[in-house]
Amino acid sequence: AGKGFWSEMLGVGDFYYELGVQIIEVCLALRHRNGGLITLQELHQQVLKGRGKFAQDVSQDDLLRAIKKLKVLGSGFGIIPVGGTFLVQSVPAELNMDHTVVLQLAEKKGFVTVSEIRESLRWETERARQVLEHLLKEGMAWLDSQAPEEPQFWLPALFSELHSQEITPEEAKEAIP
Amino acid sequence: MDRFSWTTGLLELGETLVVQQRGVRLSDGEEKGTGAGAAPLDGAWRRGRGGGGGGVLLLSTHRLIWRDQKNHECCIAVPLSQIVFIEEQAAGIGKSAKIVVHLHPASSNKEPGPFQSSKYSYIKLSFKEHGQIEFYRRLSEEITQRRWESIPTGQAMQVNRDSQAGRIRAVGIVGIERKLEEKRKETDKNISEAFEDLSKLMEKAKEMVELSKSIANKIKEKQGDITEDETIRFKSYLLSMGIANPVTRETYGSGTQYHMQLAKQLAGILQTPLEERGGIMSLTEVYCLVNRARGLELLSPEDLVNACKMLESLKLPLRLRIFDSGVMVIELQSHNEEEMVAAALETVSEKGSLTADEFAKLVGMSVLLAKERLLLAEKMGHLCRDDSVEGLRFYPNLFLTQS
């Protein structure tokens, strides 16, 4: 079914509900890689790939509209603004203001350290550590304890080098319920 | 195509990546790739058969960069300042959507590139793997904002030399606060502007819906006065406006009647899939399953939730359950999650300890539901957790059994 005049104006209709299904599938397939956090851009690329050459084109705005509708299903879909774009959350993990601010700080380089958080946000070490540990536990951050100066906390969702890597067959199996 | 210069593809200091898209082909004016009649080519371009094959197109605040997908060393760029204007060409049968970029003549001190001269003053970007809508929007934005004028760029070389000094230069809390505040203001402004338009639109929409309802009624009543042709045409106009089938909504209304019918339908559709999945499915799984099966006239997430809320009161063999975490599932009435917890305890005890991922793989469940079951077991006192940076691990609760 095409977008239709009202679909586009009011954001309703088959186009967005089908898109919702595709978004869920991509997020499920990549969850173990990025802990359930993905940039809007990477989500966009993966959804386009899944839709194939002859399907209708989809914009990032369309994705945002579809995701907002998915929130009501209770599985933790959410949108987090970072650095001019958005991160899409697809797992029911608690991410409060502290976590969001650290994600925004990490957006520039794809990683963040305790020192950077202390300097930029003027937090105590303990507060910074708690936030980073939570992200680690949720699988949204990976620890590089062998970094030269101090441990670095990397966000797989923000590694642009990993983006647009093909979804493997094993991952695709995760996606189809 | 003679406005392009060879580049390493590395972003310069001060230059930011805005958007990128794979599967883009470049062509010079009306030429197909590097077809006959193309201007004299630089050797590398010819060797790499550049432009003819697909590539990655990157838009930065300062340049448009294209890298050949097969030959990564073949990388060219043109400054955004060279762009006069851009236009879209919609996709057609067998043709991908395109953006036509009209360019100023090349400056005399331009760095060398793949073409020495060209008879065209425009190029075409062909989007073989979609992404044209987004790219056009971003490119228009960058051309309008002209950020390259306010942000000076240095050569990539300088970044290495200044890397020591550069890292110590922190943003500072004031800078971040200011950026967050600006963003908040911008979002607020956008939202209130959007709602202004939207409320005007909603008024019109109400009128339109009333009008189409009254016409639909007239059609039903005066079947004889209106030809079948016109009826079909009118219905298709309604369809394109997103008003599915006026009759369906009329019969069931947009409220509870519709959801009751839907709930009964769901009970029929989900019986077997639930049995195959151990009696429990998350609402997102249900959403995907049902909509994939339907193909057309898909369910909205709200409609699905509202229908599921009625399952229990309609005494259907399924029910909606909401866990503490907010996760929503559909269970068979015969399913008893608390009994499953006893089985889970056995499994965890056998292995000593398990994470949600490990348990999910072992039992053949989705990670989401596996985690909920383990959390429920913990809530009931059968398991306790070890929350460390290596993950959340569950152990049998020996405090309870071995007091």
Side-chain angles (χ1 to χ4, degrees), chain A residues 106 110-114 132-133 136 141-144 151-155:
Chain A
F111 72 90
V112 74
T113 60
V114 172
L132 293 170
E133 272 186 18
L136 276 179
W142 295 350
L143 175 60
D144 175 9
Q152 293 173 344
F153 295 79
W154 287 80
L155 284 302

Side-chain angles (χ1 to χ4, degrees), chain A residues 4-6 14 17-18 25 31 41 45 52-53 55 57 59-60 69 72 74-75 84 104 120 133 137 177, chain B residues 19-20 130-134 138 173 180 240-241 277 284 287 292 297-298 300-301 326-328 357 387-388:
Chain A
F5 175 69
W6 288 115
D14 279 12
Y17 306 147
E18 162 131 38
E25 288 176 347
R31 186 204 57 86
Q41 179 164 75
Q45 295 290 352
K53 300 199 174 153
D57 199 358
S59 73
Q60 290 185 3
K69 295 182 182 307
V72 76
S75 295
Q104 287 166 348
S120 297
E133 272 186 18
K137 287 177 191 174
Chain B
V19 68
Q20 67 184 27
H130 293 310
Q132 181 259 346
I133 299 181
E134 193 62 32
R138 298 307 198 108
I173 189 175
L180 285 176
S240 81
M241 286 203 291
R277 286 164 178 76
T284 25
Y287 176 78
R292 278 270 177 245
E297 285 199 27
L298 304 183
S300 73
V327 170
M328 304 209 277
D357 277 289
D387 217 349
S388 74

Side-chain angles (χ1 to χ4, degrees), chain A:
Chain A
K3 256 200 227 182
F5 175 69
W6 288 115
S7 291
E8 194 141 359
M9 282 296 125
L10 304 175
V12 299
D14 279 12
F15 175 79
Y16 289 100
Y17 306 147
E18 162 131 38
L19 193 52
V21 173
Q22 290 162 352
I23 291 170
I24 292 171
E25 288 176 347
V26 167
C27 289
L28 277 180
L30 297 178
R31 186 204 57 86
H32 75 282
R33 276 195 218 172
N34 55 35
L37 269 189
I38 185 172
T39 58
L40 187 58
Q41 179 164 75
E42 186 185 1
L43 179 61
H44 186 221
Q45 295 290 352
Q46 296 285 11
V47 165
L48 282 179
K49 262 196 247 171
R51 287 168 71 87
K53 300 199 174 153
F54 300 105
Q56 204 171 358
D57 199 358
V58 157
S59 73
Q60 290 185 3
D61 251 354
D62 290 329
L63 293 177
L64 287 176
R65 284 188 213 195
I67 292 166
K68 285 184 186 141
K69 295 182 182 307
L70 293 177
K71 280 193 196 192
V72 76
L73 295 175
S75 295
F77 271 91
I79 298 173
I80 303 169
V82 292
T85 176
F86 297 94
L87 279 177
V88 175
Q89 179 183 352
S90 58
V91 290
E94 272 267 357
L95 291 184
N96 59 29
M97 275 288 304
D98 274 9
H99 303 119
T100 311
V101 161
V102 167
L103 288 174
Q104 287 166 348
L105 195 55
E107 192 261 343
K108 268 264 173 277
K109 297 185 284 179
F111 72 90
V112 74
T113 60
V114 172
S115 305
E116 282 170 7
I117 296 179
R118 285 172 51 98
E119 280 169 38
S120 297
L121 304 177
R122 302 290 168 78
W123 286 1
E124 317 238 309
T125 305
E126 189 48 41
R127 184 176 175 187
R129 252 203 248 289
Q130 278 194 13
V131 167
L132 293 170
E133 272 186 18
H134 182 77
L135 293 175
L136 276 179
K137 287 177 191 174
E138 292 295 338
M140 294 173 178
W142 295 350
L143 175 60
D144 175 9
S145 47
Q146 303 191 334
E149 289 167 13
E150 67 174 292
Q152 293 173 344
F153 295 79
W154 287 80
L155 284 302
L158 301 171
F159 295 176
S160 44
E161 288 76 36
L162 282 187
H163 292 180
S164 297
Q165 274 199 359
E166 304 294 331
I167 293 183
T168 64
E170 291 77 37
E171 287 170 336
K173 262 194 256 160
E174 270 293 310
I176 319 244

Side-chain angles (χ1 to χ4, degrees), chain B residues 201-311:
Chain B
L201 187 64
M202 289 307 288
E203 279 175 41
K204 287 289 166 190
K206 257 196 255 178
E207 285 176 37
M208 292 237 48
V209 171
E210 288 311 315
L211 179 61
S212 35
K213 267 192 192 158
S214 78
I215 295 183
N217 277 328
K218 290 207 180 106
I219 289 183
K220 260 200 318 197
E221 291 159 27
K222 296 186 186 180
Q223 200 65 33
D225 287 14
I226 302 182
T227 69
E228 214 175 277
D229 227 9
E230 288 172 335
T231 315
I232 293 176
R233 247 195 313 150
F234 179 65
K235 279 198 178 156
S236 77
Y237 289 156
L238 288 185
L239 254 176
S240 81
M241 286 203 291
I243 301 172
N245 186 344
V247 177
T248 327
R249 284 276 154 182
E250 295 238 335
T251 319
Y252 297 124
S254 54
T256 4
Q257 281 281 348
Y258 173 63
H259 294 122
M260 275 212 286
Q261 288 299 113
L262 192 50
K264 292 182 190 154
Q265 270 182 31
L266 286 173
I269 299 171
L270 296 175
Q271 185 73 28
T272 315
L274 276 170
E275 284 166 8
E276 287 170 358
R277 286 164 178 76
I280 185 170
M281 282 173 74
S282 75
L283 217 53
T284 25
E285 283 177 88
V286 172
Y287 176 78
C288 289
L289 197 108
V290 169
N291 276 341
R292 278 270 177 245
R294 281 189 156 217
L296 281 183
E297 285 199 27
L298 304 183
L299 289 186
S300 73
E302 294 94 22
D303 279 340
L304 178 62
V305 172
N306 288 333
C308 289
K309 285 185 177 159
M310 306 192 76
L311 288 171

